[in-house]
Each structure stands twice: as structure tokens, then as C-alpha cells.
Amino acid sequence: LVEKIEKEAAQTENPPSSDFEITLKLNKDTNFGEGDPLEIFFSSNEDCYLSLLYQDVEGNHYIIFPGNGQQKTKFRAGKGYTNITKPMEISCYPGCGAEMIWAFASDRPVTLPEGYVDNLNGSGLRGYPPDVSIRSILNQHRSIKLSVKKTEKKIYLTTVK
């Protein structure tokens, strides 16, 4: 699934921008067992706003940041941030395997792409089911005006029983 998503992402109308640098790290290297806490560490070399999507093994894309009311949360340059999302725990429902987190940062407040549903799969999170293509999600994230500074990064993890 990750390989398929990578191919589809490469076919977006707008290529990813790298107008500034961001760092995205997890509290473990790559392997997360069911029940493990998932913590995300973030920093940037410019003040920015952030959007994070979590892709599970089924191709669901959960919006893990911003939550409601957090679209105007500004991250300051040079400062390291920990636990920027609600507390999360790894679940192997509906399955375990290769998963990823996409980070989108810009110098303007975040506008989430259209087409998400509330409480995706009973998670309490907004998100996109697998029938919403990653290409359309990325095209919306990447179509921010050219005058806006923006960048993106992804990080991979593997969930195991």
C-alpha cells in the first residue's frame, strides 16, 4: 500500500515545495507494538503552521493535527515541540504493517483539504477514507498560493502485534 501511495503521490499536479526546513521525528525508530504510545516531535527553521496526516495500513488518512480550533496554532522557528497531537496509542485495528505520517507546513494558517469526514472509523478524528485518493488530498495541500512559503515531509513507521 505504501508503494502504491508513493506512486500516486508522485502524480500530483503540484510538486512538493521545500521553501524551508522542518524536522519530524517519532519517539521510537520505526517499529511500534500495539498499545505503544506514539509521540511526534516537530521543529522548523521558520515560523509556520502545521497539518499532520496519519496513513494506516488500510489507506485511511487521519487528520492528527490540527484539531478543532488549532488551525491558527503557530510554531516558532528554532523551537522543538513534543506531543503536539492528542495522546495517541498504536492500534492494530484493522491491521498492522507499514504506515506513515505526512507533515505539511506553511507560513499561513492551515486550511484542511475538503472531503474529510468526522470521527473516521470511530477514531474521534477527522479524516479521509481510502476511497478519497491521496492525489486529491495532496493536490489540495500543495495548491497553496505560490506566494506562500511551504514545505512537506513524511516519516514511516511499522506497526506490529
Side-chain angles (χ1 to χ4, degrees), residues 105-123:
S106 75
D107 64 352
R108 305 278 168 86
V110 172
T111 302
L112 295 175
E114 297 173 7
Y116 64 81
V117 297
D118 290 322
N119 197 25
L120 181 63
N121 297 324
S123 66

Side-chain angles (χ1 to χ4, degrees), residues 56-74:
D56 70 12
V57 296
E58 297 289 314
N60 295 293
H61 291 90
Y62 297 90
I63 301 166
I64 57 175
F65 192 87
N68 287 327
Q70 295 178 311
Q71 287 84 348
K72 294 185 179 178
T73 300
K74 193 171 204 176

Side-chain angles (χ1 to χ4, degrees), residues 25 68 70 85 102 142:
K25 293 183 180 179
N68 287 327
Q70 295 178 311
T85 64
W102 296 69
R142 292 174 177 170

Side-chain angles (χ1 to χ4, degrees), residues 67-155:
N68 287 327
Q70 295 178 311
Q71 287 84 348
K72 294 185 179 178
T73 300
K74 193 171 204 176
F75 293 87
R76 299 290 176 197
K79 183 175 178 190
Y81 291 88
T82 61
N83 299 324
I84 56 177
T85 64
K86 293 191 313 184
M88 293 185 297
E89 189 175 281
I90 295 297
S91 170
C92 283
Y93 174 81
C96 286
E99 302 185 355
M100 72 173 93
I101 297 172
W102 296 69
F104 303 92
S106 75
D107 64 352
R108 305 278 168 86
V110 172
T111 302
L112 295 175
E114 297 173 7
Y116 64 81
V117 297
D118 290 322
N119 197 25
L120 181 63
N121 297 324
S123 66
L125 297 169
R126 295 172 290 173
Y128 308 88
D131 63 337
V132 177
S133 77
I134 190 62
R135 187 182 312 176
S136 71
I137 296 168
L138 291 176
N139 277 335
Q140 289 182 64
H141 269 293
R142 292 174 177 170
S143 67
I144 299 170
K145 296 176 188 168
L146 294 177
S147 62
V148 173
K149 285 183 163 183
K150 58 190 173 186
T151 192
E152 69 182 66
K153 186 167 228 139
K154 59 189 160 205
I155 191 166

Side-chain angles (χ1 to χ4, degrees), residues 32-52:
F32 285 81
E34 187 163 23
D36 283 350
L38 175 64
E39 297 174 25
I40 300 170
F41 305 94
F42 175 79
S43 65
S44 174
N45 68 349
E46 295 209 14
D47 290 356
C48 66
Y49 300 88
L50 180 66
S51 177
L52 295 174

